[in-house]
Amino acid sequence: MRWFNNKDTLYGFLVILPSLVLLGIFVYGFIFQTFYTSLTDWGKDPAQALAANPQIRFIGFENYRELFTGLVDSRFRQDLVNTFFFTVFFILGCLGVGLGLAIVLDRSPRGEGFFRTIFLFPMSLSFIVTGTIWRWMLQPEGGVNQLPTLVGLPKGEFAWLTSREQIWQVSWNDLPFITALVVSVVLIFIAIAAFRGGERRRGYIASGSAALLLLWAFTLGRTLQPLPYDEPHGFNLAFIGIILAAVWQMSGYTMALYLAGLRGIPEELREAARVDGASEWQLYQRVIFPLLAPITLSAMIILGHISLKIFDLIFAMAGPDNAPTDVPALLMYLTTFRANQIAKGAAIGMILLLLVAAVIVPYLYSQLKSEVRR
Amino acid sequence: MKKLFLSLAALALSTMGLAQSGKLEIFSWWAGDEGPALQALIDLYKKRYPNVEVVNATVTGGSGVNARAVLKTRMLGGDPPDSFQVHAGQELIGTWVVADRMEDLNALFNQEGWMTKFPKGLIDLISYKGKIYSVPVNIHRSNVMWYVPAKLREWGVQPPKTWAEFLTVCQTLKSKGLEAPLALGENWTQQHLWESVALGVLGAADYANLWSGKLRFNDPKAVAVWNTFGRVLDCANKDASGLSWQQAVDRVLEGRAAFNIMGDWAAGYMTTTKGLKPGEGFGWAPAPSTAGVFMMLSDSFGLPKGVKNRTNVLNWLRLLGSKEGQDTFNPLKGSIAARTDSDPSKYNAYLQSAMRDWKSNRIVGSLVHGAVAPESFMSQFGTVMEIYLSSRNAQAAANAAQAIATQVRLGQ
């Protein structure tokens, strides 16, 4: 027990012990319990779903299998696709609008402080408030749809939150194949970057796994069919309204991040680039944007985990029953508390946790690694 | 002598009431418009049992969407409210009775003589294996078609009696320039329309067989429901999903639509909020092809196992089932009494007509409002509706409905 000989270490350990215990029980304990619940049949038998002492049987990964390949769970699969498109457009929108606003404000126009506050203000609202405001504005008969009439055009007809139109449809059965393709393209890019940077070993590993994955995709991947029939899923146009509201709320935040980053770039660097004859566009392209890359990464992580677990905004904007704008978090609530399918709700929760972990863990890992290096 | 006897009886009653003390927690979703009706009942209870402290725990959200989630966490956490509101029928039975969380109330029903006061069709719907588990407070009717008589005269059409007639009338109105003769609202109102179509197409007996598992959803007869439903939907407004049920009713009142199928809380909305006179400002008829059948839904209260104030709850239930209690509550709520002996003079013209039908019609239960199918089926029926609305494939919707019915063991 040499470790405890150091008094400071002991005190330090004692001080963080309470929070360790609390975190252990209330975060990791419950994650484990949810995981266990998701492997049971809790809720399958109505007589046991809400009994005082329910008899619950262990059934392995049956709930997960049903979610991905069951006939009645097509809604969950569409929700996953919804989340994917929502995440992509939400992050792109916030980064684009945020960066644009930050660049404009960075040039210190008049009333900069005023506009900064205006742009940042939506972030201080809760998602429920944002959702309610935008719900009113996006009513089919009012708000945004009435805007064209101000300039004499016919009023808009788009059913913002309830449209059933779907574009970019893909059969669920093609997903394994498409995923493999996308991953191998990413791997090929990594390989090219590695060869260019002189990291040969890394390059070989990346290109080798890309080749393997492609081989699998074109042979076995084509025959892997989760469903016995084609089930099209795509981007629900009803989500455009949700994306608008979410970008409106969070782009001020990315603007603040970028503004801080821009202000952190020393004036000397810009001067030096200008002296070297760089045009204004080259200055941004070659000097400023590369220096903002870490900020972009942080913003993507933060926005990404918000969009994956989004619940309140959509609950307030469209209600939990509006299927065109459904996401897994809402479905989890409905499955657990309305349909009493507690184990299946837990399974959806675990899938959400995995998705968020896939975004967060690599980020934390790289952050910790760089801190240790320091 | 008679007076003395009466006052003695009153004294005995009041001392009995005084003897009761403790608490009574009533859990419901009657917060907004329905608040005064619940308050009237609570006041009546307090008058009888002044020493009992009544805790009125309400969770807002129409049809109990939020209250039910709160109730489940409380029940799972071992903290049941003394008595909670629940839709009578399978919403109570499929969730709480099968889980062995409720006490049966047969003794109370016999003691109060309620077995003959409530219609047999209702007793059947709220019983499970021969036992009754809740006291129905009110009755709403689901299969009602609303219209404005003056407008129909203007267009020269009669309220259709069957769905076939409805589709003809719909074509006539469309040719007269009415874009969407049927006003429809957000998703649950679409399911509400579906149950009226199903009842009309199948008839009362087969409709009931659907819920007892005797008629399968993928039977050709049940698939036909979806086909008719699709043709009826073609008569409805395209922006339905964005409208609340009130906005859908408004469309009819404004003359932008001719008909609306909605439960009879719509009558309450039109008389109270819109100030219209039943029969003049608005008219009603049973939903097409459903004349002579009363599709009912009902709010009820029961006795959870293991409550702390059992006697107080039994007194509360006694009040709810009594003629006085029901006639206090229902005129304010805009519904009719579940008892068949209530006093018609307290109700408006629409409700009086509903009371006559309640006594004479065949009674079936509503799907959307919890009477005939357990929550596990009901909440996933939305997915079935989605499959139909996005694909317009009757067979696919019917297959999905049967898959869910099998999964939740409907009718077993």
Side-chain angles (χ1 to χ4, degrees), chain A residues 1 7 10 21 26 40 44 52 61-62 67-68 80-82 89 117 139 158 194 223 234 247-248 258 276 282 301 305:
Chain A
M1 297 301 278
K7 239 182 181 180
L10 179 65
V21 171
F26 290 105
T40 64
K44 282 229 173 3
F61 285 87
E62 180 65 15
L67 283 174
F68 285 101
L80 276 186
V81 175
N82 288 347
F89 288 114
T117 318
Q139 282 296 306
F158 185 59
T223 58
V247 168
W248 178 81
Y258 275 129
D276 283 348
Q282 283 175 323
I301 302 294
H305 93 275

Side-chain angles (χ1 to χ4, degrees), chain B residues 65-128:
Chain B
V65 281
N66 305 322
R68 291 207 291 269
V70 175
L71 177 67
K72 278 167 203 167
T73 45
R74 283 191 61 169
M75 295 286 271
L76 282 175
D79 174 33
D82 291 328
S83 188
F84 60 84
Q85 177 188 5
V86 61
H87 284 133
Q90 289 297 323
E91 187 177 308
L92 172 73
I93 293 166
T95 302
W96 300 114
V97 174
V98 294
D100 197 25
R101 289 301 198 96
M102 306 299 289
E103 281 193 42
D104 76 86
L105 301 171
N106 282 35
L108 182 73
F109 270 69
N110 287 327
Q111 189 189 341
E112 299 287 314
W114 288 344
M115 295 305 252
T116 53
K117 296 287 190 264
F118 294 110
K120 188 174 175 302
L122 172 64
I123 299 266
D124 289 345
L125 278 176
I126 62 173
S127 297
Y128 177 66

Side-chain angles (χ1 to χ4, degrees), chain B residues 152-268:
Chain B
L152 290 199
R153 276 196 297 277
E154 198 180 295
W155 289 314
V157 294
Q158 294 284 321
K161 296 252 182 326
T162 64
W163 283 114
E165 260 183 65
F166 178 90
L167 293 171
T168 326
V169 168
C170 163
Q171 285 315 317
T172 317
L173 289 171
K174 273 188 174 174
S175 67
K176 290 188 178 175
L178 200 64
E179 206 178 301
L182 179 70
L184 193 62
E186 58 190 333
N187 28 53
W188 73 266
T189 68
Q190 294 160 13
Q191 297 175 30
H192 189 106
L193 173 66
W194 185 88
E195 68 183 18
S196 271
V197 175
L199 177 60
V201 173
L202 292 172
D206 270 342
Y207 177 80
N209 285 342
L210 212 49
W211 310 117
S212 60
K214 284 183 203 136
L215 179 68
R216 292 172 67 82
F217 281 87
N218 48 9
D219 189 284
K221 278 195 271 184
V223 177
V225 172
W226 290 98
N227 287 324
T228 310
F229 180 65
R231 302 210 330 259
V232 171
L233 273 188
D234 291 337
C235 297
N237 44 320
K238 297 284 171 277
D239 58 349
S241 304
L243 303 183
S244 66
W245 69 265
Q246 291 98 328
Q247 286 170 314
V249 173
D250 289 346
R251 290 266 166 113
V252 176
L253 299 179
E254 290 161 5
R256 294 172 64 190
F259 305 107
N260 175 235
I261 309 266
M262 187 34 61
D264 58 8
W265 43 92

Side-chain angles (χ1 to χ4, degrees), chain A residues 39-342:
Chain A
L39 301 178
T40 64
D41 69 342
W42 194 2
K44 282 229 173 3
D45 179 3
Q48 300 301 331
L50 288 156
N53 294 304
Q55 291 173 354
I56 298 168
R57 286 180 308 129
F58 181 85
I59 54 167
F61 285 87
E62 180 65 15
N63 287 312
Y64 294 87
R65 195 189 63 74
E66 273 180 18
L67 283 174
F68 285 101
T69 64
L71 171 65
V72 296
D73 288 306
S74 63
R75 186 167 169 179
F76 171 74
R77 298 189 281 272
Q78 177 59 45
D79 287 1
L80 276 186
V81 175
N82 288 347
T83 308
F84 170 76
F85 283 112
F86 175 71
T87 307
V88 168
F89 288 114
F90 171 61
I91 291 180
L92 284 182
C94 283
L95 291 183
V97 174
L99 183 62
L101 291 176
I103 288 175
V104 170
L105 286 184
D106 185 46
R107 322 207 109 209
S108 307
R110 272 217 275 158
E112 185 210 328
F114 174 71
F115 283 112
R116 203 174 47 210
T117 318
I118 293 270
F119 294 146
L120 206 53
F121 183 65
M123 199 191 79
S124 64
L125 299 175
S126 84
F127 267 131
I128 295 283
V129 177
T130 312
T132 311
I133 297 170
W134 279 90
R135 176 204 196 115
W136 291 335
M137 294 213 283
L138 297 179
Q139 282 296 306
E141 296 276 305
V144 174
N145 272 354
Q146 297 287 353
L147 276 182
T149 60
L150 289 179
V151 291
L153 294 169
K155 68 176 175 125
E157 290 289 337
F158 185 59
W160 284 99
L161 297 174
T162 52
S163 165
R164 286 190 179 281
E165 269 183 82
Q166 214 175 52
I167 52 173
W168 304 327
Q169 282 190 335
V170 167
S171 169
W172 186 254
N173 282 335
D174 291 337
L175 267 195
F177 177 66
I178 293 171
T179 319
L181 278 193
V182 170
V183 174
S184 18
V185 167
V186 171
L187 282 173
I188 288 170
F189 269 104
I190 291 177
I192 292 171
F195 281 127
R196 272 197 187 160
E199 292 183 73
R200 300 203 127 216
R201 207 168 136 244
R202 205 169 155 191
Y204 284 130
I205 293 176
S207 51
S209 14
L212 264 182
L213 204 58
L214 280 177
L215 186 71
W216 175 84
F218 280 102
T219 53
L220 290 171
R222 281 320 250 163
T223 58
L224 181 74
Q225 304 257 310
L227 295 169
Y229 48 88
D230 269 345
E231 190 183 82
H233 291 293
F235 174 53
N236 283 335
L237 292 188
F239 254 97
I240 295 175
I242 309 270
I243 293 168
L244 266 181
V247 168
W248 178 81
Q249 167 133 29
M250 292 310 291
S251 56
Y253 174 65
T254 37
M255 177 207 73
L257 286 181
Y258 275 129
L259 199 56
L262 285 170
R263 293 279 149 89
I265 296 173
E267 195 56 28
E268 290 81 23
L269 278 180
R270 302 183 193 212
E271 289 298 325
R274 288 200 185 103
V275 168
D276 283 348
S279 70
E280 203 65 351
W281 168 242
Q282 283 175 323
L283 171 68
Y284 276 101
Q285 194 194 359
R286 296 286 167 85
V287 179
I288 295 184
F289 289 157
L291 284 170
L292 289 179
I295 293 182
T296 308
L297 182 70
S298 307
M300 277 174 74
I301 302 294
I302 292 166
L303 296 172
H305 93 275
I306 290 178
S307 82
L308 285 174
K309 52 186 199 187
I310 193 110
F311 177 90
D312 35 9
L313 179 73
I314 299 178
F315 197 99
M317 268 184 95
D321 298 309
N322 189 31
T325 57
D326 206 20
V327 286
L330 281 171
L331 187 67
M332 172 177 74
Y333 171 78
L334 296 183
T335 309
T336 311
F337 288 109
R338 290 243 193 109
N340 300 336
Q341 308 272 352
I342 295 165

